[in-house]
Amino acid sequence: MKVSKEFKVGILVVLGILLLYVGVNFLKGNSIFGKNREYYAVFNNANGLKASNDVQINGVKVGMVSFVHLHPDDPQEILVKYTITDDEVLIPVGSTVELISSDLLGTKALVLHLNMDFVATTEYIKIGDTLKSAVQKDIQTQINEQFLPLKNKTEELIGSVESINQLENLIRAFPVIG
């Protein structure tokens, strides 16, 4: 039985399209054969978070952000969908997710803070649930908080130096007769 050239070309095209699909999904970080576990978080401000940013537990990557969009019910909030690709990670009830800057350049990541209370470890978050969320203060806010007391003390010191200068000028204006 002879196989025609058209059939061979057709098989090659189908295999090429399949390989392209698998390759694109692999590069995007999507699970090709298994099902990723998807969860949600709602933030007031996404501060540069974007799809493909890491999801971490104690600095170890366990997943990635799938998409970041405005919440459909409340456009003042940001809805973030993220996937956990590590099959061994189970998220106990009461866990939270926090948006952080993972480096000095401002790259964002989500950090899962697992609830390790012994009572809560028997129940786990279901796939598709929304975790409580928080946003870590950015580096500029942290620096401002550290330097605010120093700034206030410096302003007090400058004010006292100015009052001493004014007192010296008064003393010079009225010489003491003695």
Side-chain angles (χ1 to χ4, degrees), residues 85-159:
T85 55
D86 190 342
D87 293 332
E88 296 176 3
V89 174
L90 297 175
I91 303 172
V93 171
S95 299
T96 60
V97 63
E98 182 179 21
L99 174 62
I100 65 160
S101 289
S102 61
D103 59 19
L104 290 175
L105 299 176
T107 304
K108 301 298 180 179
L110 293 179
V111 174
L112 286 171
H113 297 288
L114 300 179
N115 182 8
M116 299 311 287
D117 293 338
F118 293 108
V119 177
T121 56
T122 57
E123 291 185 50
Y124 297 102
I125 301 289
K126 294 181 180 77
I127 294 173
D129 281 352
T130 302
L131 270 69
K132 292 181 184 174
S133 59
V135 177
Q136 182 187 46
K137 296 176 187 172
D138 64 344
I139 193 162
Q140 182 177 2
T141 305
Q142 292 175 0
I143 289 172
N144 287 342
E145 286 177 355
Q146 292 290 326
F147 284 110
L148 184 63
L150 181 62
K151 177 185 170 236
N152 291 339
K153 292 276 186 184
T154 305
E155 287 174 354
E156 288 175 17
L157 181 64
I158 290 172

Side-chain angles (χ1 to χ4, degrees), residues 50-70:
K50 58 184 181 231
S52 78
N53 284 104
D54 291 346
V55 176
Q56 304 173 353
I57 296 176
N58 296 333
V60 177
K61 180 180 178 181
V62 294
M64 63 182 251
V65 175
S66 300
F67 72 79
V68 179
H69 294 289
L70 292 175

